Amino acid sequence: MGRVGRLRALSVAVLLAGVMPGSTACTTGCTADIVYGLQVLVRDQRTGGPVENLSATLTDGDYREVVTPRDAGVPVVVEDSGLPRVSGFTFAQERTGNFTLRLSAPGYQPSGPHYVRVTGDACHPHPVTLVIEMVPR
């Protein structure tokens, strides 16, 4: 089967999944967009600027996401956050839950635990944004 044939077969399967009895697919205007449940904006408490070399751990029961300075492109510096340049992470791709977040960076006191609940609907999580100020040592 060629690429077009596979795409048609996939499209039919997706359409059927949305109308089959017992399906959990959302039929109220869901989108194919990927939504992250949590955005974390981090700034230096004294300067308001970004915090370099951040590490972060997000957990919810057995679920765990870890971001380290070695991760490509993470953390990013967010300029359109409504704050002066801050460091930022996104977590919990298409996930809801009761999360615990911990942050660390060289030259700063550890931050957390921060507790956050992310709710959602049948389609996507409802994004939550946390702004955290890291305290220099």
Side-chain angles (χ1 to χ4, degrees):
M1 183 181 296
R3 181 172 184 231
V4 172
R6 283 193 302 269
L7 288 175
R8 284 188 188 135
L10 178 61
S11 296
V12 169
V14 169
L15 287 173
L16 288 176
V19 297
M20 295 294 285
S23 169
T24 58
C26 181
T27 58
T28 59
C30 292
T31 66
D33 296 340
I34 294 175
V35 178
Y36 289 87
L38 181 61
Q39 178 181 31
V40 180
L41 304 175
V42 184
R43 61 183 172 189
D44 181 293
Q45 184 189 43
R46 287 188 193 146
T47 68
V51 175
E52 301 295 326
N53 298 311
L54 271 169
S55 293
T57 302
L58 183 76
T59 57
D60 179 17
D62 291 338
Y63 178 78
R64 181 178 173 97
E65 278 186 67
V66 177
V67 177
T68 67
R70 293 185 308 273
D71 296 327
V74 176
V76 298
V77 175
V78 180
E79 300 210 27
D80 62 348
S81 64
L83 300 170
R85 294 169 45 90
V86 295
S87 303
F89 298 97
T90 54
F91 288 103
Q93 178 180 324
E94 293 297 343
R95 188 171 190 92
T96 60
N98 295 306
F99 297 100
T100 302
L101 176 69
R102 288 180 169 82
L103 301 167
S104 63
Y108 291 86
Q109 296 177 19
S111 182
H114 303 278
Y115 302 104
V116 60
R117 178 171 174 75
V118 177
T119 61
D121 55 33
C123 298
H124 300 291
H126 299 149
V128 173
T129 299
L130 290 180
V131 177
I132 298 173
E133 292 184 335
M134 297 285 290
V135 179
R137 291 182 189 220

